[in-house]
Amino acid sequence: MAEALRLIFEKEGIYVNVQYIDMSVSNEIDLKNQSANYLKRLGDALAQGDPDTTCFAPIGGYKILTALGYLVGSFLHYPMVYLHENTQIVVEIPPMPLGIDEDFINNHFDLLRKCQQDYVEYVELAYDEKQVVDKYPALFSREEGLISLSAFGIFLFEQKNYDYIFQTKFMLSEQVERFIRQNRHHSIFIFGQLYELVKKLKSGINIDDLRHESEFERLDNKKLQFHLYKGSSNGRDVFRCTYKYNAIKKHLYINYLWLDHKKYELEVVKGIGLYTSEKKFTDYTDEIVSRKRK
């Protein structure tokens, strides 16, 4: 079918990109992983088009492909169309409004992250976590008492709206880690600012606050190894840090951190935190995500 459709379109001078995805309905774990891959590939393809000018018709294959295709199409605001085989009438099904409120993610972050990373025993979940799993069956998959994100749940949280929360690894230098230990009462503010930094980096928007080193004429640009982020103030302290972001690995390296504005202004003009990498970096992701939600 795919090859026949490709030939028909190419005769009309239309370029066709055919992608093949393995699907097996004989194994539940394989089916979930393959379904998640199908949703991601389909979502990436639809994201290149526009619902007003693109015809979306998930036809053929297993029935699950049509069902999942409608979900991802709805999430990206595509109507689903198909040609009725007997009447040759084009039927259009409007998209269902879909989305996840960020407050939902913030309130249930620990559960969602656990279920994203591994299978979790349902009986070991807290009462309120069980309620979430029972209330949102589209987001979770159950297999012999084990809970994980469903194929659709995985697709949702791989979207750019949420990947800054789920996929970033926070790597902190010894200076930053020591600073946080000595300022535990500021940790929620600090971790919230780190999330804002990642969110801005992944937005793709050129924001002056992400390259604040450009405001200091005395800095030697040839020596710069890190960027300077100008964060917010909580009314008493300001957030400033030097960082480097690896977009491929999705690793955020925080090299140096200040909350005291006077100390920051004295040190940053000397290139502290910008010219030289601090000592070893430690993966602080679990600590950050758990404390930020408390």
Side-chain angles (χ1 to χ4, degrees):
M1 172 69 77
E3 189 63 21
L5 288 172
R6 183 183 67 79
L7 291 172
I8 292 172
F9 280 113
E10 287 185 344
K11 283 183 179 180
E12 299 296 323
I14 300 171
Y15 169 75
V16 177
N17 178 17
V18 179
Q19 299 182 47
Y20 294 95
I21 297 175
D22 292 329
M23 293 292 291
S24 171
V25 294
S26 59
N27 183 288
E28 290 185 6
I29 295 177
D30 288 344
L31 179 60
K32 191 190 89 166
N33 293 334
Q34 291 162 355
S35 297
N37 182 42
Y38 163 68
L39 288 177
K40 184 178 188 320
R41 300 271 290 275
L42 177 59
D44 290 345
L46 290 178
Q48 297 177 40
D50 184 276
D52 293 332
T53 58
T54 305
C55 179
F56 171 51
I59 57 176
Y62 296 116
K63 289 183 174 63
I64 188 175
L65 297 179
T66 301
L68 291 175
Y70 176 65
L71 286 176
V72 69
S74 290
F75 184 81
L76 296 173
H77 312 297
Y78 276 85
M80 183 177 78
V81 301
Y82 69 93
L83 188 66
H84 194 279
E85 58 188 62
N86 293 328
T87 63
Q88 294 296 290
I89 295 175
V90 175
V91 179
E92 179 176 317
I93 302 174
M96 180 191 304
L98 290 177
I100 298 295
D101 190 282
E102 193 160 328
D103 287 340
F104 173 84
I105 297 176
N106 290 335
N107 293 335
H108 306 295
F109 179 82
D110 291 335
L111 171 64
L112 295 169
R113 189 175 177 86
K114 280 191 298 187
C115 292
Q116 179 203 33
Q117 294 175 330
D118 203 352
Y119 285 86
V120 180
E121 292 276 357
Y122 180 79
V123 295
E124 294 182 359
L125 295 177
Y127 174 74
D128 59 334
E129 292 178 326
K130 291 178 180 176
Q131 285 190 312
V132 173
V133 171
D134 294 339
K135 187 175 179 179
Y136 299 95
L139 298 180
F140 299 94
S141 175
R142 294 196 195 201
E143 296 164 16
E144 299 181 356
L146 297 175
I147 305 298
S148 67
L149 284 186
S150 67
F152 186 59
I154 293 172
F155 166 76
L156 279 180
F157 299 126
E158 283 181 341
Q159 302 308 297
K160 284 189 175 181
N161 291 353
Y162 312 117
D163 69 354
Y164 77 95
I165 297 177
F166 286 92
Q167 298 179 22
T168 301
K169 183 169 286 189
F170 295 86
M171 308 296 294
L172 307 188
S173 72
E174 281 190 3
Q175 186 273 342
V176 177
E177 191 176 4
R178 183 172 60 252
F179 187 95
I180 292 173
R181 285 200 307 268
Q182 295 170 351
N183 296 272
R184 281 289 177 182
H185 54 296
H186 293 302
S187 61
I188 300 299
F189 172 63
I190 292 171
F191 297 158
Q193 288 297 297
L194 292 179
Y195 270 85
E196 285 300 311
L197 170 56
V198 177
K199 196 172 183 179
K200 290 176 181 177
L201 286 168
K202 294 193 175 184
S203 71
I205 301 173
N206 186 14
I207 303 172
D208 291 340
D209 291 348
L210 296 176
R211 302 289 189 273
H212 194 52
E213 67 274 10
S214 62
E215 297 295 317
F216 295 88
E217 295 181 358
R218 290 170 54 187
L219 289 174
D220 187 344
N221 291 331
K222 294 180 180 179
K223 293 182 179 179
L224 292 176
Q225 294 189 36
F226 296 87
H227 293 296
L228 176 62
Y229 173 59
K230 179 184 178 182
S232 302
S233 168
N234 62 4
R236 182 176 58 181
D237 306 299
V238 299
F239 184 89
R240 302 288 187 271
C241 75
T242 61
Y243 72 94
K244 185 162 43 180
Y245 180 61
N246 186 320
I248 297 175
K249 292 184 177 180
K250 298 180 181 176
H251 288 186
L252 175 65
Y253 297 87
I254 305 298
N255 190 50
Y256 212 90
L257 174 63
W258 298 270
L259 293 181
D260 185 310
H261 194 263
K262 289 184 178 179
K263 185 178 181 183
Y264 151 73
E265 286 190 323
L266 289 171
E267 293 186 342
V268 75
V269 293
K270 300 175 184 177
I272 293 176
L274 289 166
Y275 291 164
T276 307
S277 178
E278 294 294 309
K279 294 181 180 179
K280 68 174 184 178
F281 287 78
T282 302
D283 184 353
Y284 221 67
T285 307
D286 289 340
E287 174 76 3
I288 289 175
V289 297
S290 62
R291 287 188 63 81
K292 183 177 183 295
R293 303 296 156 178
K294 290 181 181 179

